[in-house]
Amino acid sequence: MTLDFSSLLPYTDQILEGLVTTVWLTVVTTVAGIALAVVVAYVRDGARVRGASLVSRLLGGYVEVIRNTPFIVQLFFLFFGLPALGVPISATVAALIAMILNLGAYTAEILRAGIESTTRGQHEAARALGLSRLQSFRHVVLVPAFSRVYPSLISQCIIVMLGSAVVSQISVFDLTYAANFIQSRNFRGFEVYLVVTAIYLLLAVGLRLVFEFVGRRLFAFRQGGSA
Amino acid sequence: MALVSVKDLHKSFGELEVLKGIDLEVEAGEVVAIIGRSGSGKSTFLRCLNQLEHHDWGTIQLADQRLDGTSMTPGELSQNVGMVFQSFNLFPHKSVIDNVMLAPVVVKQTPKSEARRIAEEVLAKVGMSDKIDSYPAQLSGGQQQRVAIARALAMNPKVLLCDEATSALDPELVGEVLRVLEDLAKEGMTLILVTHEMKFARDVSHRVVFMHQGRIHESGPPETLFTRPQTPELAQFIASVV
């Protein structure tokens, strides 16, 4: 068998389209998923002070459901299930919502570990200065909590980026969909998947580098020493 | 009228009664040192004064307001009572100046430029002007505690509570923190300190309160208390720490 990468050239547009879709799905999911996780973690953290409310229990249920069911089933549930209930939903919107809900749940759980390891002294200092629970969460708790769990957070975002390949199953034109599309036309499966694999690898490395860059800015306080 | 007035204060943790009826009046400008063995209730008493613990019984009057967990918001309380902790509790992700500016900006809604001016002023007072952009991890324990004092002062409280402010420090760093507290005392700041520094209690405070088993066992001017203890418990305590 001879390798023939030139057979991919006519499909450059499809590969680019797939790449763009995968990248923007990942970027939007990362931002929205982390924001969702912060809200979920804040509400669930309220149980520490005033006991578990109905909302915090519901959010706990959401986190457990997402973490204990396959992503592809969650995706199918949104894409095929919602229209069956009379709620029409496009493939792209279903993919985006599924990815955000997925990252949000995992990140909320990761973040919870960081939040729970906040020392009593930090809470008391914030209270003695008159900060409300929300002010304390925002200004005192959140950044150190993120810094403690940052490596796990990076991994989770990369997992979700790679997992986005599954959205090709509901015909979202992402990178994997592009690969399947090309392979079904030129039958050069080895070349197509080799190139797409390399692109995923570069995306994962790139995403990690971006996170590490942001982390160095955000957590500059850690470079002074440990405390 | 006394600035702080405590009457018949009781506090239990579960079955354990830690405070069994504390009465204490502190005048504005007074420096009161609370001494006693660990477990005597001194820290709990101090923590009741700024409502980190809620008392079960009795009253705490601050200026003319009564603390019962609802009369003052945490924000209002923090402008009346400042607190310095044994373990400093600076916010590790914020620079020195941001630690000091946080509460004025967030709680008091002071404009940033004004908050910065106040922060620089209180940091100068504790001798930390040259470290305003450092992070807490880059400072020694003594420096961190001085910043923590500045952070409390930035809210311009009427009374400053110090909970064993020097107990976590290496011996050679204790002096710099005590000097700052002594300066504050000279300026007329009202201080209530739980301390194990007997020399400091003796030299700087106006009144020493000896707590024993959840009660104020003995109190009076430091000279009297240290040289002529009236009860065997205090005599024994003094003998054990000096």
Side-chain angles (χ1 to χ4, degrees), chain A residues 44-225:
Chain A
R44 294 185 77 198
D45 182 58
R48 180 178 53 79
V49 225
R50 54 183 76 127
S53 64
L54 180 64
V55 181
S56 85
R57 280 170 208 272
L58 285 175
L59 289 176
Y62 147 68
V63 169
E64 289 313 310
V65 166
I66 296 291
R67 293 193 335 130
N68 293 290
T69 53
F71 176 62
I72 194 165
V73 174
Q74 297 161 16
L75 183 68
F76 284 176
F77 183 80
L78 284 175
F79 185 61
F80 298 116
L82 285 187
L85 288 178
V87 185
I89 190 166
S90 77
T92 311
V93 172
L96 198 58
I97 293 177
M99 286 172 68
I100 291 170
L101 288 178
N102 191 269
L103 182 64
Y106 278 95
T107 306
E109 200 60 13
I110 290 171
L111 199 51
R112 190 164 75 124
I115 289 168
E116 282 178 355
S117 60
T118 305
T119 61
R120 208 174 90 166
Q122 291 285 304
H123 288 299
E124 289 184 349
R127 255 179 74 193
L129 287 168
L131 273 69
S132 67
R133 190 173 86 83
L134 179 60
Q135 289 167 338
S136 168
F137 183 81
R138 186 173 149 210
H139 297 284
V140 174
V141 172
L142 201 54
V143 172
F146 262 116
S147 85
R148 284 190 285 268
V149 299
Y150 204 57
S152 314
L153 178 70
I154 299 178
S155 300
Q156 194 58 48
C157 290
I158 290 175
I159 288 170
V160 166
M161 189 274 286
L162 298 177
S164 74
V166 167
V167 304
S168 62
Q169 295 297 309
I170 57 169
S171 68
V172 173
F173 206 109
D174 76 327
L175 198 52
T176 303
Y177 190 91
N180 298 341
F181 176 87
I182 298 164
Q183 193 270 151
S184 67
R185 279 167 176 69
N186 71 0
F187 307 110
R188 287 284 174 178
F190 186 83
E191 287 89 338
V192 173
Y193 288 113
L194 187 69
V195 167
V196 166
T197 302
I199 295 176
Y200 272 115
L201 183 63
L202 288 175
L203 282 178
V205 171
L207 191 58
R208 182 174 291 277
L209 288 176
V210 170
F211 264 102
E212 283 172 357
F213 176 78
V214 172
R216 271 196 301 278
R217 295 275 163 125
L218 221 50
F219 311 132
F221 68 93
R222 294 201 122 189
Q223 285 153 20

Side-chain angles (χ1 to χ4, degrees), chain B residues 3-240:
Chain B
L3 178 61
V4 181
S5 171
V6 179
K7 286 197 179 67
D8 198 26
L9 196 73
H10 287 258
K11 171 73 187 172
S12 300
F13 295 109
E15 295 288 292
L16 184 69
E17 193 175 23
V18 181
L19 300 179
K20 300 172 182 168
I22 303 278
D23 294 281
L24 185 71
E25 300 222 325
V26 179
E27 301 293 329
E30 206 179 357
V31 178
V32 176
I34 304 175
I35 60 171
R37 290 184 202 290
S38 48
S40 60
K42 6 183 241 311
S43 283
T44 304
F45 173 56
L46 211 59
R47 291 161 58 83
C48 283
L49 292 181
N50 74 342
Q51 301 286 285
L52 281 180
E53 305 289 354
H54 296 287
H55 53 281
D56 305 324
W57 187 258
T59 58
I60 303 173
Q61 291 260 134
L62 194 72
D64 50 356
Q65 276 198 294
R66 191 171 154 162
L67 297 189
D68 54 14
T70 53
S71 61
M72 268 195 218
T73 65
E76 287 166 346
L77 185 59
S78 69
Q79 293 170 55
N80 284 289
V81 186
M83 184 146 187
V84 176
F85 298 88
Q86 180 176 353
S87 50
F88 331 133
N89 297 339
L90 291 181
F91 305 131
H93 59 298
K94 293 192 177 291
S95 64
V96 164
I97 189 97
D98 287 341
N99 260 277
V100 179
M101 284 170 64
L102 179 67
V105 171
V106 170
V107 178
K108 256 186 177 174
Q109 316 264 309
T110 310
K112 279 214 166 150
S113 56
E114 170 71 359
R116 193 176 171 90
R117 192 190 59 71
I118 295 169
E120 283 169 352
E121 196 180 298
V122 289
L123 283 167
K125 195 177 271 188
V126 301
M128 290 297 294
S129 294
D130 52 338
K131 298 275 188 191
I132 61 170
D133 292 320
S134 301
Y135 286 105
Q138 298 165 320
L139 305 177
S140 73
Q143 290 172 326
Q144 289 190 50
Q145 193 60 297
R146 280 147 63 198
V147 173
I149 293 170
R151 183 174 68 174
L153 293 178
M155 291 298 270
N156 197 22
K158 295 192 177 76
V159 49
L160 186 64
L161 312 175
C162 298
D163 191 5
E164 303 194 21
T166 58
S167 297
L169 296 174
D170 292 336
E172 75 273 17
L173 302 174
V174 169
E176 60 186 79
V177 173
L178 292 184
R179 268 194 300 281
V180 166
L181 293 176
E182 196 174 341
D183 288 344
L184 287 176
K186 279 183 192 149
E187 283 179 25
M189 183 79 202
T190 311
L191 294 173
I192 305 178
L193 324 104
V194 166
T195 185
H196 290 297
E197 297 291 328
M198 293 306 144
K199 188 176 173 335
F200 182 79
R202 194 169 176 158
D203 295 347
V204 179
S205 68
H206 302 122
R207 183 153 44 118
V208 174
V209 169
F210 172 62
M211 282 187 66
H212 184 67
Q213 294 181 349
R215 289 196 175 84
I216 293 181
H217 206 66
E218 218 176 298
S219 77
E223 215 44 50
T224 322
L225 215 76
F226 282 110
T227 51
R228 291 190 302 279
Q230 301 295 308
T231 60
E233 287 81 8
L234 176 57
Q236 208 177 29
F237 176 74
I238 291 172
S240 71

